[in-house]
Amino acid sequence: MSGLLDVAHKKKRTVGRRATPAPTQAMRLHADKVSVVAFFKDGRRVVTGSWDHTLRICDIQKGVVVGGPFVGHSNKVFSVAVSPDDRRIASGGKDNTIIIWDVESKQMLYNPLKKHTKWVSSVCFSPDGKRLASGSYDSTVIIWDVETGTVLSTLQGHLGGVSSVAFSPDSGLKLACGSLRVIRIWCTDNAELVFKINAHENWVLSVLWSPDGQQLVSASYDKTVKFWDSSNGYQIGQPCTSHTSDINSLAISSDGSFIATASDDRTVRQWSTKSHQQIGQPLKHIMDVTCVAISPSAELVVIGDFHGEVQLWSIKNTLLAAVQLYSSSDSYFAHRSKVKLGQNLYSEALSDAEKVIELNLSSYLGYELKHAALLGAQRYDDAIQAFEIMLSKLDDAPAGSRIRQLRHQYVSPSEVEDGFRRAIHTHLENAPHRLINTMSGRLCDRQAQVNTFMKSTEYKEVLSSSMLHRPLQTELIKDTVVKYFSWVMLSHRWETKEPRLHEIRDKNVYTLRPVGTIVKLQNFCKVAHGAGYRWAWSDTCCIDQNNNVELQESVTSMFVWYRHSALTIIYLSDVPPMSKSGALANSVWNTRGWTLQEFLAPTIVLFYQADWTLYLNDRSPNHKESVSIMQELERSTGINALTLVAFRPGMRDAREKLQWASCRVTTLQEDIAYSLFGIFDVNLPVIYGEKRQKALGRLLQEIIAHSGDITALDWVGQPSSFNSCLPANIASYRAPPCALPFLSEDEIQSSVSLLRNTVAMESASKLYTILDNLSAPRFANSRLQLPCITFPVTKVKRRVGTPCTYHIKADGLQDLEITTADTLVQFWPGKPTSQTFLLVRPLNRHDLGLPDFADEAHSADHRLEPGSPSDDPLGLSPSDNEPAGSQSLTPESNLLIRLGQRLGALWLGQQEPAVSRSHTRELRLVVRLGQPFSALLLAQQRGGEYKRITSGCNIIARVRDMTYVDDMMNVRRLEIL
């Protein structure tokens, strides 16, 4: 450090022997006195105001006028200000008006503002640029709305007039006003005076705030400059007193380290804001100087004089030697580094940051600036190292000190790294384990993906920036992780020889010999990369088919992988270029088992033709948003277009989903079941070699056991060896579900009225209670326990001439015929048989007017409102007979309507007695049970269990007389093999 001070002293002596500094440039801009000058934030331009009634904008680097003259004032211009965004200029003058100018168009924003009654001495923009303060010798200060020109508030009580105004840098919450001998501080929110300072012995010509808002600085005709504590108005230190005449203008550097003053003694002087001592040599002039401004870089001052000339002075060399003598000498380089950072001059900013470190090794500031410069230069590793040193400097500061407290605003690199690890773990939980890097063409496992990310620019940039502020920017980290690790899935039809894992491992996909299906893989990766994604997945080569554990996990997770993919590319190898609508429907892709979930699961899909051009040349970002493509798929698959676009997995509507898959095929017979695991959201073991019937049986068993949905029993075909109630082949679901007659509400009400006097209410109530208390079906170990109403078969006799058709009689049912490939034992009362046969009605809770078991499970999962009568004592739940048009009303509106109807009924005495209501409920059950139903024919086995006898079509049965409730009382839970 002593060597550095020796250098500084030598420089000072050199400066002392040097000739008086001279301006680097001088320009005659006006025909009269330059009364005011202000820098733009870009540091390149200045605006000047003159007694010649005009303003001009000058490019000080080129030495040319780039704007003006701005003509609008009818008298001398006394003040100008530049808005924080450099887009507007405000000016005030002796004509008592204020004009706000648009810099780009060089036109007035609106007509001059005319509220002051004497000349306007000072104008100032608020830090956000939305307000403008003007001070006038009419003793008022007006605060204006910049956009509209309307008056927001008027501050009065300034004796003799107002010579200077300045907003505080903290969002302009305070306003300092200089006048005769006094400085007043106002609160801009409520226009109340905070305090006043008896500051000088004469006019306060200039007042301004330090950049941190901690101090006020004022200059006066009494030849002094003084510093004030902005919180209480107390004077700080000694005044600056070297001027020999009035001080006309005052400016402060953007870092607050020094000020410059212009005086009638024809000098401009610089002063340290810390020592209040003069630094450098006075800038002497041969005529009166009227105004001064300091550039944002603090390396230049612009001075206006009495004859309309503007001079540009370099103070870089003048200040350097003197600044180095003070303990705060690093502030000069710190400020310059900040300015260079603002100009994106990262190399120069880094150089100045290094000088700050050299001058003050214990300071954190140099390393903070170094980090910022390295971050801007994208030298992230070095930036992180600089930041860690900065944190250590803060940690070493004395406990309780202001610098030590700064440590709390920063986040350590380890904290950010932990945040990344958590975000990566969460995101990759739903991602494939292996992905192809579309940039390098190499297959990467999960650890390789993470390692690649940790070396990426994206990671280092966010790591470096996230350390700067608390709290930890978890959303930014999450967004970065999601964007980087987003993957693209391929959906396609497998061809004869697809590339496998061992063929591309440790190889570059792009450099493989482009033959056969390798070309498909290469093009897929190129398209994914072209769409902006780094990772791609293909089922052919991203799964180790020889690893049973990995294969099982992949099969059960595949729906989730497609679901969370950023994009799924569907390649139609048999759809030629320039195909018309309909080609997709006829593609083999549309018949494969696995491709059903590969389309339903993702949110965003794109269809590509054989030459890797978009299907129908549809360039929308998501073909699920294409009406024509969705309509084509709806027609070809039978799946509703809304479901195609926004499919939700689960066991709801199981029969419909099974029908979707009934026309599809897979190469391996078990896959027809495995490909539906994700669609039904089940997690079952994958056991290749178990064959189709067992695989499908396990899936259907899981659906019925967990949802209680018995619609999976609605099929026509051959029974499964897994369980006789299940089909041997999914094609058995190809026919639409059994459609039974539908009773309207009017028909139900009419039937209920007819039954009131003909049905034994005690029996009806008993039946309702029995059915209501039955639990859902159970299905485990290939055994189905099915709650149902049973009707013993009393006669089976083959119809003459038709060996497969049988006449059937059963207690309580109308006679019927069935067709079956099985040979049935014929019997009748005169020729009995020892084997028991039953026609059964599987319990459907809809008969009770209650949700099905599947609906109840769905409601529990999604927390839907209860629908049972006991949960709705006022009867406010939506009924089957809502008023016409009520479906279009909001839930709140419907609720109000139902509430009004119910309260009205109570008021008029129309509320039914409780007994009557329950009878209505039970009679409605009887009516429903009296309708045709889809029956199962069961044959009892030796162990007491039953097996289903399949029919060539649905067995439609009906009770003989619904008024005979006792015929429907044989309710049992049967075990079916």
Side-chain angles (χ1 to χ4, degrees):
M1 189 67 178
S2 61
L4 188 62
L5 289 175
D6 290 340
V7 172
H9 283 297
K10 290 178 183 178
K11 286 187 176 181
K12 185 180 181 184
R13 291 195 294 270
T14 302
V15 170
R17 294 192 298 269
R18 192 177 297 152
T20 302
T24 59
Q25 193 175 144
M27 295 170 283
R28 182 71 179 272
L29 298 179
H30 293 276
D32 206 338
K33 172 182 173 179
V34 178
S35 53
V36 63
V37 61
F39 266 96
F40 283 78
K41 299 300 180 293
D42 60 18
R44 229 175 6 90
R45 297 170 294 165
V46 295
V47 58
T48 57
S50 170
W51 282 17
D52 67 4
H53 309 178
T54 68
L55 291 78
R56 282 176 168 80
I57 298 176
C58 177
D59 187 319
I60 59 174
Q61 292 181 352
K62 299 179 180 178
V64 296
V65 175
V66 294
F70 291 77
V71 178
H73 287 284
S74 60
N75 211 322
K76 299 173 182 177
V77 177
F78 286 151
S79 57
V80 297
V82 181
S83 65
D85 59 6
D86 283 354
R87 294 172 55 200
R88 290 170 182 167
I89 298 170
S91 59
K94 197 173 181 180
D95 59 1
N96 307 343
T97 67
I98 299 153
I99 300 177
I100 299 180
W101 308 84
D102 180 77
V103 174
E104 184 176 359
S105 67
K106 304 176 179 61
Q107 300 297 317
M108 297 182 194
L109 200 61
Y110 33 69
N111 291 331
L113 306 176
K114 298 178 179 180
K115 290 291 183 181
H116 288 294
T117 58
K118 290 187 178 181
W119 66 73
V120 179
S121 57
S122 179
V123 291
C124 177
F125 282 98
S126 62
D128 61 7
K130 295 181 179 179
R131 294 169 294 161
L132 181 78
S134 61
S136 168
Y137 279 94
D138 65 4
S139 300
T140 66
V141 173
I142 298 178
I143 300 178
W144 311 81
D145 183 298
V146 172
E147 287 299 323
T148 64
T150 57
V151 174
L152 299 176
S153 59
T154 302
L155 312 178
Q156 299 178 338
H158 303 82
L159 297 179
V162 178
S163 54
S164 180
V165 293
F167 276 106
S168 62
D170 56 345
S171 302
L173 297 177
K174 294 179 181 178
L175 184 72
C177 306
S179 58
L180 180 60
R181 295 188 293 272
V182 173
I183 300 171
R184 286 176 171 81
I185 308 299
W186 298 85
C187 176
T188 57
D189 281 346
N190 54 22
E192 291 186 358
L193 182 66
V194 181
F195 58 82
K196 70 175 184 177
I197 306 170
N198 294 315
H200 291 273
E201 297 176 0
N202 209 323
W203 279 98
V204 180
L205 261 293
S206 295
V207 63
L208 48 79
W209 298 77
S210 61
D212 61 7
Q214 301 293 316
Q215 297 185 42
L216 289 164
V217 188
S218 59
S220 169
Y221 276 171
D222 67 7
K223 309 171 190 176
T224 66
V225 177
K226 295 182 180 180
F227 299 82
W228 313 93
D229 186 322
S230 64
S231 65
N232 53 32
Y234 294 165
Q235 186 172 346
I236 301 172
Q238 296 300 311
C240 305
T241 57
S242 295
H243 279 297
T244 60
S245 189
D246 299 346
I247 300 175
N248 298 316
S249 181
L250 171 67
I252 189 168
S253 63
S254 56
D255 68 342
S257 64
F258 70 96
I259 59 172
T261 53
S263 169
D264 282 347
D265 63 11
R266 297 186 175 181
T267 66
V268 170
R269 300 172 188 265
Q270 299 93 48
W271 315 81
S272 166
T273 55
K274 294 188 177 180
S275 68
H276 302 179
Q277 297 297 310
Q278 186 174 329
I279 54 178
Q281 298 185 73
L283 309 180
K284 296 182 179 180
H285 293 68
I286 59 174
M287 59 186 65
D288 292 348
V289 290
T290 55
C291 53
V292 63
I294 303 173
S295 68
S297 67
E299 296 180 355
L300 301 170
V301 293
V302 171
I303 302 167
D305 68 17
F306 203 85
H307 285 204
E309 189 172 86
V310 170
Q311 297 177 358
L312 181 66
W313 298 70
S314 171
I315 57 174
K316 177 179 177 182
N317 295 329
T318 305
L319 295 176
L320 181 57
V323 169
Q324 287 179 328
L325 295 177
Y326 297 100
S327 61
S328 60
S329 59
D330 56 324
S331 64
Y332 172 77
F333 294 105
H335 167 67
R336 196 168 70 171
S337 180
K338 293 176 184 177
V339 171
K340 299 300 182 186
L341 286 170
Q343 298 172 340
N344 297 331
L345 301 174
Y346 301 117
S347 178
E348 296 177 29
L350 178 61
S351 178
D352 283 339
E354 296 283 9
K355 289 178 181 176
V356 175
I357 295 170
E358 181 183 353
L359 291 170
N360 192 347
L361 291 172
S362 62
S363 172
Y364 78 93
L365 181 58
Y367 290 101
E368 182 183 45
L369 294 169
K370 183 177 181 179
H371 168 261
L374 291 167
L375 184 60
Q378 299 183 3
R379 294 170 54 184
Y380 299 113
D381 292 332
D382 293 335
I384 294 169
Q385 184 179 21
F387 192 84
E388 289 175 329
I389 297 175
M390 184 203 78
L391 293 182
S392 69
K393 298 294 182 184
L394 293 175
D395 289 333
D396 292 342
S401 66
R402 184 184 64 84
I403 293 178
R404 181 67 173 270
Q405 292 174 358
L406 291 176
R407 175 63 180 85
H408 301 299
Q409 76 184 37
Y410 298 111
V411 183
S412 68
S414 61
E415 289 178 85
V416 183
E417 290 166 355
D418 286 342
F420 267 113
R421 276 191 285 270
R422 289 191 297 269
I424 291 171
H425 174 75
T426 300
H427 183 69
L428 293 185
E429 277 186 327
N430 297 315
H433 294 286
R434 291 189 187 84
L435 292 166
I436 301 171
N437 188 319
T438 61
M439 297 179 69
S440 67
R442 294 192 174 275
L443 186 67
C444 298
D445 60 18
R446 183 160 294 177
Q447 190 57 54
Q449 296 166 39
V450 174
N451 291 342
T452 303
F453 175 63
M454 294 299 187
K455 296 175 184 177
S456 70
T457 298
E458 294 89 336
Y459 167 72
K460 293 177 180 179
E461 182 177 6
V462 175
L463 173 63
S464 298
S465 62
S466 296
M467 299 184 295
L468 297 175
H469 308 286
R470 282 193 183 277
L472 183 64
Q473 297 175 288
T474 53
E475 284 303 313
L476 174 61
I477 290 173
K478 176 184 174 183
D479 291 345
T480 303
V481 167
V482 169
K483 182 178 180 180
Y484 186 90
F485 286 98
S486 293
W487 65 90
V488 179
M489 302 285 281
L490 176 64
S491 175
H492 65 120
R493 178 200 175 187
W494 276 49
E495 299 176 52
T496 305
K497 181 171 170 45
E498 295 281 355
R500 298 304 180 96
L501 176 69
H502 67 275
E503 295 177 78
I504 70 164
R505 178 180 277 159
D506 301 324
K507 296 176 183 177
N508 183 338
V509 166
Y510 298 126
T511 61
L512 296 175
R513 186 182 175 194
V515 294
T517 53
I518 291 292
V519 177
K520 176 170 63 174
L521 180 62
Q522 291 171 335
N523 285 329
F524 164 59
C525 292
K526 289 176 183 177
V527 170
H529 182 259
Y533 298 101
R534 187 182 301 266
W535 304 103
W537 184 90
S538 171
D539 54 356
T540 62
C541 57
C542 294
I543 301 174
D544 186 351
Q545 308 281 343
N546 298 319
N547 185 324
N548 289 333
V549 174
E550 181 179 334
L551 184 60
Q552 161 140 347
E553 185 176 358
S554 298
V555 169
T556 56
S557 302
M558 208 171 294
F559 184 93
V560 174
W561 296 348
Y562 277 95
R563 188 69 156 187
H564 289 87
S565 66
L567 167 67
T568 291
I569 288 175
I570 299 173
Y571 178 61
L572 309 172
S573 59
D574 55 350
V575 174
M578 306 298 291
S579 290
K580 303 298 182 182
S581 181
L584 168 59
N586 296 323
S587 172
V588 175
W589 174 88
N590 215 16
T591 68
R592 305 300 296 177
W594 284 105
T595 59
L596 178 61
Q597 76 163 2
E598 291 169 8
F599 177 81
L600 291 175
T603 303
I604 300 175
V605 303
L606 290 174
F607 288 95
Y608 283 85
Q609 301 172 132
D611 65 346
W612 287 94
T613 57
L614 288 164
Y615 180 58
L616 301 183
N617 198 31
D618 188 324
R619 299 189 177 278
S620 60
N622 183 6
H623 284 171
K624 283 197 173 187
E625 297 174 356
S626 168
V627 174
S628 61
I629 294 178
M630 290 304 100
Q631 288 177 342
E632 181 179 352
L633 278 177
E634 182 179 50
R635 289 190 298 267
S636 63
T637 64
I639 303 173
N640 179 274
L642 291 177
T643 302
L644 291 172
V645 172
F647 174 76
R648 294 180 62 182
M651 298 178 184
R652 193 179 181 88
D653 302 321
R655 178 60 174 78
E656 181 182 16
K657 293 171 183 174
L658 291 167
Q659 186 179 0
W660 299 344
S662 63
C663 297
R664 294 178 176 262
V665 296
T666 56
T667 302
L668 299 178
Q669 56 180 288
E670 300 93 339
D671 276 343
I672 197 63
Y674 301 163
S675 65
L676 297 175
F677 283 5
I679 289 175
F680 285 103
D681 194 19
V682 302
N683 189 4
L684 294 171
V686 175
I687 312 170
Y688 280 107
E690 65 177 334
K691 302 305 180 185
R692 176 178 54 238
Q693 292 193 32
K694 186 175 181 181
L696 182 60
R698 288 194 298 116
L699 171 62
L700 297 174
Q701 174 178 271
E702 184 79 0
I703 293 170
I704 296 171
H706 282 81
S707 70
D709 185 353
I710 60 172
T711 59
L713 306 183
D714 179 6
W715 52 270
V716 175
Q718 294 300 311
S720 169
S721 59
F722 184 86
N723 185 282
S724 62
C725 271
L726 303 180
N729 194 310
I730 200 166
S732 295
Y733 291 108
R734 190 171 298 174
C738 179
L740 297 171
F742 174 77
L743 280 181
S744 68
E745 182 60 27
D746 288 343
E747 290 172 321
I748 293 177
Q749 294 285 7
S750 176
S751 298
V752 167
S753 298
L754 294 173
L755 290 176
R756 284 196 183 278
N757 299 319
T758 58
V759 170
M761 291 301 179
E762 183 179 351
S763 296
S765 297
K766 181 179 179 182
L767 176 61
Y768 188 95
T769 302
I770 292 172
L771 295 181
D772 192 19
N773 289 328
L774 277 177
S775 58
R778 299 192 186 100
F779 207 155
N781 301 317
S782 304
R783 290 172 176 257
L784 171 62
Q785 293 187 9
L786 183 68
C788 53
I789 302 174
T790 65
F791 302 91
V793 176
T794 59
K795 177 181 178 179
V796 175
K797 193 168 186 180
R798 187 169 58 245
R799 194 171 74 181
V800 177
T802 53
C804 296
T805 302
Y806 295 85
H807 290 289
I808 303 290
K809 284 182 177 289
D811 289 344
L813 295 180
Q814 297 178 11
D815 294 350
L816 67 154
E817 290 185 344
I818 68 167
T819 301
T820 176
D822 293 341
T823 301
L824 302 184
V825 176
Q826 299 186 68
F827 63 93
W828 51 90
K831 182 187 175 184
T833 179
S834 59
Q835 190 175 16
T836 300
F837 291 85
L838 300 174
L839 277 169
V840 303
R841 176 177 190 147
L843 175 62
N844 182 343
R845 285 170 61 85
H846 180 69
D847 296 335
L848 298 171
L850 298 174
D852 290 340
F853 291 118
D855 293 334
E856 286 189 332
H858 181 81
S859 299
D861 290 340
H862 297 276
R863 299 292 187 266
L864 298 180
E865 294 180 358
S868 64
S870 61
D871 292 320
D872 190 24
L874 284 177
L876 299 178
S877 297
S879 65
D880 295 335
N881 58 337
E882 289 282 7
S886 66
Q887 289 80 2
S888 63
L889 298 175
T890 64
E892 293 82 0
S893 300
N894 270 324
L895 177 61
L896 290 173
I897 291 171
R898 293 194 299 274
L899 181 60
Q901 292 170 341
R902 180 60 61 187
L903 292 178
L906 289 171
W907 178 259
L908 296 173
Q910 296 172 353
Q911 175 72 13
E912 293 180 311
V915 174
S916 177
R917 288 205 311 274
S918 65
H919 286 170
T920 298
R921 179 185 64 183
E922 292 152 358
L923 291 174
R924 290 173 69 93
L925 168 64
V926 173
V927 170
R928 282 174 169 147
L929 293 179
Q931 303 310 305
F933 63 92
S934 180
L936 303 181
L937 178 59
L938 304 180
Q940 191 174 33
Q941 307 301 298
R942 290 182 179 179
E945 306 94 341
Y946 288 82
K947 276 194 173 184
R948 177 179 179 179
I949 298 173
T950 59
S951 171
C953 58
N954 292 109
I955 301 175
I956 306 302
R958 187 170 188 173
V959 296
R960 183 176 295 112
D961 187 342
M962 75 174 81
T963 62
Y964 289 2
V965 177
D966 289 342
D967 287 347
M968 298 180 276
M969 295 290 286
N970 192 6
V971 180
R972 300 169 60 188
R973 178 182 291 276
L974 302 178
E975 184 169 350
I976 305 175
L977 303 178

